[in-house]
Amino acid sequence: MRKYFISIFIAAPIFHACKSGPGENEAQKQNGKKDFFPVAGYIQSEINYVDSLPLGIVKYSTHDDRTDSSYIQAAAFDLLAKDFICEELRPDIFENEFSETSFIDETTQSTTLTYSTKNDKLGLYRVDVLATAGEGSNIVSSIYLEKAIHKNDTLIIKKLLWKTKKSFQIVTSKQFANKSHDVEQLKVVWDPE
């Protein structure tokens, strides 16, 4: 039942976006409102889902070709997952600063919604929502985000991937002023594939 409810919740914006294509439709132009996929709300519902179940959550941390793993509690999971719910995803910022394009892949029966911004003052600059064909509707299979953060003399690039009902991964790349480079990978899994 829960899967069916989520499918219905997800289907309307995805089908609307696919129908609209890269531009806005007439109703959107008339009322000035964009009908973007609710990325922050979707991620929050995924976090709530994990919090509601007695799951074993495993965290894998990789740095310098060394991986450590440990089980974590829901509070630690919530803290790590907060990186996916950033300020730029608030509707007032997301809908004003980002534009949407969509791509339908007939071969894989998938739809990709891409949100991007030209505002280089925002940390978040790209969001991809991938949906695949399900029973009578499209189901979100993953959400991908890219962020760029300038901190003192360091450029931090974060690439975040959320796989619905399965895991999330954050790859953090730091480029220091002295040209040295550091990469860390965090993967959190609650439903092994």
Side-chain angles (χ1 to χ4, degrees):
M1 178 69 177
R2 178 178 284 231
K3 184 176 180 183
Y4 178 72
F5 175 74
I6 290 173
S7 297
I8 291 172
F9 174 73
I10 303 306
I14 295 291
F15 285 134
H16 176 72
C18 294
K19 184 178 74 174
S20 299
E24 297 177 15
N25 68 21
E26 288 305 312
Q28 288 174 321
K29 287 179 185 176
Q30 289 175 2
N31 69 18
K33 176 139 174 64
K34 297 178 181 176
D35 194 14
F36 283 179
F37 181 80
V39 176
Y42 183 79
I43 296 290
Q44 187 60 57
S45 72
E46 283 282 300
I47 292 169
N48 294 344
Y49 167 77
V50 174
D51 288 346
S52 71
L53 298 174
L55 299 171
I57 305 169
V58 182
K59 177 180 86 168
Y60 300 92
S61 300
T62 304
H63 187 255
D64 293 333
D65 295 326
R66 178 188 159 118
T67 301
D68 294 318
S69 64
S70 62
Y71 280 94
I72 60 172
Q73 299 295 317
F77 168 82
D78 291 350
L79 189 62
L80 296 170
K82 280 176 64 174
D83 217 355
F84 283 86
I85 306 200
C86 47
E87 187 75 13
E88 295 90 343
L89 291 175
R90 280 190 3 225
D92 59 318
I93 297 174
F94 193 48
E95 293 174 7
N96 288 322
E97 297 291 341
F98 286 77
S99 60
E100 175 189 89
T101 57
S102 59
F103 175 75
I104 301 171
D105 187 333
E106 294 292 335
T107 305
T108 61
Q109 296 295 301
S110 64
T111 302
T112 303
L113 302 177
T114 298
Y115 299 96
S116 59
T117 184
K118 293 181 179 174
N119 185 345
D120 59 2
K121 294 179 181 169
L122 297 177
L124 179 69
Y125 61 90
R126 177 179 174 172
V127 178
D128 292 337
V129 178
L130 178 66
T132 54
E135 294 178 23
S137 66
N138 286 350
I139 299 171
V140 172
S141 57
S142 66
I143 295 181
Y144 173 78
L145 296 89
E146 285 186 9
K147 299 179 183 183
I149 303 154
H150 294 275
K151 193 172 186 179
N152 300 326
D153 60 351
T154 304
L155 172 63
I156 303 169
I157 303 288
K158 288 192 171 197
K159 297 182 178 186
L160 304 95
L161 177 65
W162 191 285
K163 294 179 81 175
T164 299
K165 302 284 188 273
K166 301 227 174 274
S167 64
F168 72 75
Q169 182 173 325
I170 302 172
V171 176
T172 304
S173 172
K174 296 178 183 175
Q175 180 70 52
F176 302 101
N178 65 4
K179 307 288 186 201
S180 64
H181 191 77
D182 187 48
V183 177
E184 296 177 4
Q185 179 178 319
L186 170 72
K187 186 171 185 178
V188 177
V189 179
W190 54 93
D191 184 10
E193 299 178 48

